[in-house]
Amino acid sequence: MKVAYVFATDMSATYKLAKMILPQLEQEIHGAQVVGMMFFDDNLYVLRQGNPIGERLAKLAKERGILLMVCDRCAVERGLGEGDFSQCGLGQVKPKDLVEGVQVGCFPQLYAALGNNPPDQVITL
């Protein structure tokens, strides 16, 4: 089964991802193939360059072809995206100070990025 995770609630990336999902993926015991992860609000901070959680996740994502994407509006608001609010949703905001491989976008970019490898289930945490 292929899954995509959406980290939308407070601390879902620092707790559920960092303490449960990421260690299971690293140990190859997660039980599902993760094809993508989308981060909203303050969950973006785990993907800052130098953050140990983000660095581990970026390495794993590169090895396994997992999409890592952050909300463009959230990135601009937090100084982690280059662009302005008028570019949100258009795929024009660029990553800034994020770990390698992270894309910035909104739902249209998420759907397009997962189009060739769609998940069977989307799990929002």
Side-chain angles (χ1 to χ4, degrees):
M1 167 190 341
K2 295 191 289 185
V3 299
Y5 288 106
V6 176
F7 297 98
T9 61
D10 290 345
M11 297 181 60
S12 61
T14 56
Y15 187 75
K16 294 169 187 86
L17 172 61
K19 307 265 189 230
M20 293 182 249
I21 297 167
L22 183 55
Q24 291 171 3
L25 289 171
E26 290 171 330
Q27 296 170 39
E28 298 183 10
I29 61 169
H30 189 58
Q33 178 188 358
V34 179
V35 296
M37 296 183 184
M38 179 71 169
F39 295 77
F40 289 92
D41 303 320
D42 288 347
N43 291 301
L44 276 64
Y45 289 127
V46 300
L47 296 174
R48 283 186 295 195
Q49 289 176 350
N51 182 297
I53 298 165
E55 295 292 346
R56 287 169 50 206
L57 185 59
K59 179 179 181 246
L60 191 71
K62 184 176 182 179
E63 291 170 359
R64 299 193 188 166
I66 299 171
L67 170 71
L68 299 178
M69 185 176 284
V70 298
C71 163
D72 50 11
R73 179 169 288 277
C74 302
V76 170
E77 287 176 351
R78 288 159 180 78
L80 297 173
E82 292 180 357
D84 61 53
F85 296 123
S86 70
Q87 297 172 300
C88 292
L90 302 174
Q92 297 174 345
V93 176
K94 303 296 179 209
K96 178 182 172 191
D97 300 326
L98 294 169
V99 295
E100 181 182 350
V102 174
Q103 297 181 35
V104 179
C106 195
F107 292 107
Q109 291 76 45
L110 177 63
Y111 303 147
L114 290 174
N116 291 331
N117 192 21
D120 298 312
Q121 295 185 17
V122 176
I123 301 168
T124 303
L125 300 169

